[in-house]
């Protein structure tokens, strides 16, 4: 049925129904466990001193986690066409890169080292932000643009977009059936094709 298809796209192979759950305290180890810990601490820190709606909105904007956002606020954002504000995507990656470059420049870090730091930060931020379709696409495109700068080559938007499509599908072929993946790429294509004509028409 429809729910089964939704689960398959998210690599859910079985559904377990339990009458009771007893926490064991066990957690993932390795790099994945480290990132889990950083994400937990970040989610907690982003809610300190804020009312629930504002804390939920901040968590969504920074880490793409809208689980604590009140349902009515989430629905209002969607009705206003602002649901993307709580989905980590290209703006997050661009802001992260800009902040890292500015901080590095203020500290006197050479350009090449700053660009390498940006690559590392992007690689860490994508899973921290939930690893969803839009942030994976944005991370790959941002890394491609950063790598082009490192190689003293001009960034090619269409090449970066095609690379992101190929890489995300290579990592997870089922992504092509995910509406989030489809909308993320469609939005970037629409911006690339229509932003110029709309800007010219407004002028």
């Amino acid at each position: 049925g429809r729910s089964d298809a939704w689960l398959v796209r998210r690599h859910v192979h079985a559904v377990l129904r339990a009458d009771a759950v007893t926490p064991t305290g066990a957690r993932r180890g390795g790099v994945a466990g480290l990132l889990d810990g950083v994400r937990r601490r970040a989610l907690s820190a982003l809610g300190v001193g804020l009312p629930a709606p504002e804390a939920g909105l901040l968590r969504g904007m920074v880490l793409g986690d809208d689980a604590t956002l009140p349902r009515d606020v989430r629905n209002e954002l969607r009705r206003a066409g602002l649901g993307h504000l709580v989905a980590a995507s290209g703006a997050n990656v661009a802001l992260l890169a800009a902040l890292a470059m500015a901080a590095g420049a203020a500290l006197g870090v050479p350009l090449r080292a700053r660009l390498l730091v940006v690559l590392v930060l992007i690689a860490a931020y994508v899973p921290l932000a939930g690893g969803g379709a839009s942030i994976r696409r944005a991370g790959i495109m941002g890394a491609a643009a950063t790598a082009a700068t490192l190689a003293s080559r001009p960034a090619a938007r269409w090449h970066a977009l095609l690379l992101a499509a190929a890489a995300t599908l290579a990592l997870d072929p089922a992504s092509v059936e995910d509406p989030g993946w489809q909308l993320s790429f469609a939005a970037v294509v629409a911006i690339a094709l229509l932003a110029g004509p709309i800007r010219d028409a407004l002028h």
Side-chain angles (χ1 to χ4, degrees):
R2 182 177 300 177
S3 61
D4 292 336
W6 186 88
L7 291 171
V8 168
R9 285 197 299 270
R10 285 152 182 79
H11 308 291
V12 177
H13 301 289
V15 176
L16 178 65
R17 291 181 172 85
D19 295 325
V21 177
T22 303
T24 65
R27 293 175 176 169
R28 293 194 294 180
V31 175
L34 177 63
L35 290 173
D36 287 345
V38 173
R39 182 175 170 82
R40 282 194 303 272
R41 288 191 293 274
L43 287 171
S44 176
L46 289 170
V48 173
L50 291 174
E54 287 80 358
L57 183 60
L58 185 59
R59 291 182 182 116
M61 293 178 70
V62 176
L63 294 174
D65 187 326
D66 64 353
T68 59
L69 192 66
R71 185 183 298 273
D72 59 333
V73 175
R74 188 185 299 116
N75 290 337
E76 288 170 1
L77 286 171
R78 288 173 179 169
R79 281 195 296 270
L82 297 174
H84 62 280
L85 289 178
V86 290
S89 60
N92 300 66
V93 173
L95 181 59
L96 175 68
L99 290 174
M101 291 295 288
L107 294 172
V109 178
L111 176 61
R112 188 173 183 83
R114 277 183 279 154
L115 291 169
L116 290 172
V117 168
V118 168
L119 284 175
V120 173
L121 289 175
I122 290 174
Y125 180 67
V126 169
L128 282 178
S134 59
I135 193 62
R136 287 198 307 265
R137 183 221 18 101
I140 293 170
M141 291 185 70
T146 305
T149 305
L150 268 170
S152 300
R153 302 280 299 249
R157 179 173 50 196
W158 290 109
H159 291 169
L161 184 63
L162 290 173
L163 174 63
T168 53
L169 290 177
L171 291 169
D172 183 8
S175 292
V176 73
E177 299 179 7
D178 179 7
W181 186 93
Q182 297 167 6
L183 289 171
S184 179
F185 280 90
V188 174
V189 170
I191 291 170
L193 292 177
L194 300 177
I198 290 175
R199 178 199 59 212
D200 295 341
L202 291 174
H203 284 175

